[in-house]
Amino acid sequence: NAGVTQTPKFRVLKTGQSMTLLCAQDMNHEYMYWYRQDPGMGLRLIHYSVGEGTTAKGEVPDGYNVSRLKKQNFLLGLESAAPSQTSVYFCASSYSGHSYEQYFGPGTRLTVT
Amino acid sequence: KNQVEQSPQSLIILEGKNCTLQCNYTVSPFSNLRWYKQDTGRGPVSLTIMTFSENTKSNGRYTATLDADTKQSSLHITASQLSDSASYICVVSAGNQFYFGTGTSLTVIP
């Protein structure tokens, strides 16, 4: 039981490049989330999904897109990376509604130059 | 404005001592309050989740309290260990919105 895994762990992009971050969970959770964490700021919700085939915007969705084609996977895409997107990205999942415990992945450190 | 404020920002204590971390919030309507522990370079791990009607919740040496009237919560760590060195994050949810504090960085020294 791996829990929540994220790929890749580190990545450096140049401005304008695109990439996709993959999150996978093996706990059969319905809800999945993408957050970013920046120094001196709390975690901020980018997008979330309440089930396979659904996505919704969080607090800071601009510049990101997501897809939940399979229940166990939640993808975060950056179409044209900007230096402001340099951050640590965390994926999380929970069994059902927002009141359930969230399980976080180990994070992806992204640097955009 | 919905906000979560944590204090102190950082704390250094001797191994074996107790400490208390504070979380004040202005989030409304309140759904639940969570405390997370985040080790350096890792994702947050849940310690406790409390709803409106819960005043105290324990998880081993960690005890969280909630005063919904004053909108304050505290996390008490008993008999601290070196492994308690981490950032402790308070999160308040309102419906499908989450409001994260910036965390308290705790360092336990031998």
Side-chain angles (χ1 to χ4, degrees), chain A residues 56-112:
Chain A
K57 293 181 180 180
E59 181 186 356
V60 289
D62 294 341
Y64 305 95
N65 57 75
V66 288
S67 63
R68 183 97 181 270
L69 299 179
K70 292 183 178 181
K71 186 177 183 178
Q72 63 268 34
N73 295 335
F74 196 27
L75 278 63
L76 178 70
L78 287 73
E79 290 188 347
S80 180
S84 61
Q85 293 178 305
T86 293
S87 187
V88 180
Y89 292 86
F90 288 99
C91 175
S93 71
S94 68
Y95 172 70
S96 182
H98 298 298
S99 61
Y100 284 80
E101 179 178 346
Q102 291 187 22
Y103 294 83
F104 283 80
T108 293
R109 183 173 294 276
L110 174 66
T111 301
V112 183

Side-chain angles (χ1 to χ4, degrees), chain B residues 7-82:
Chain B
S7 62
Q9 190 172 8
S10 62
L11 182 63
I12 301 174
I13 63 173
L14 289 173
E15 185 180 12
K17 297 295 186 182
N18 303 335
C19 67
T20 300
L21 314 179
Q22 298 289 343
C23 174
N24 297 336
Y25 61 93
T26 59
V27 175
S28 182
F30 176 88
S31 293
N32 58 62
L33 185 146
R34 311 158 192 239
W35 281 96
Y36 285 92
K37 177 187 179 190
Q38 185 176 21
D39 292 316
T40 301
R42 293 180 172 247
V45 174
S46 178
L47 294 175
T48 64
I49 301 175
M50 287 189 292
T51 59
F52 186 87
S53 59
E54 295 175 298
N55 300 117
T56 303
K57 205 157 195 180
S58 293
N59 178 358
R61 294 180 297 102
Y62 300 100
T63 299
T65 64
L66 173 65
D67 186 333
D69 291 332
T70 62
K71 296 189 176 182
Q72 296 180 325
S73 176
S74 65
L75 180 69
H76 186 74
I77 304 174
T78 303
S80 60
Q81 301 176 359
L82 298 178

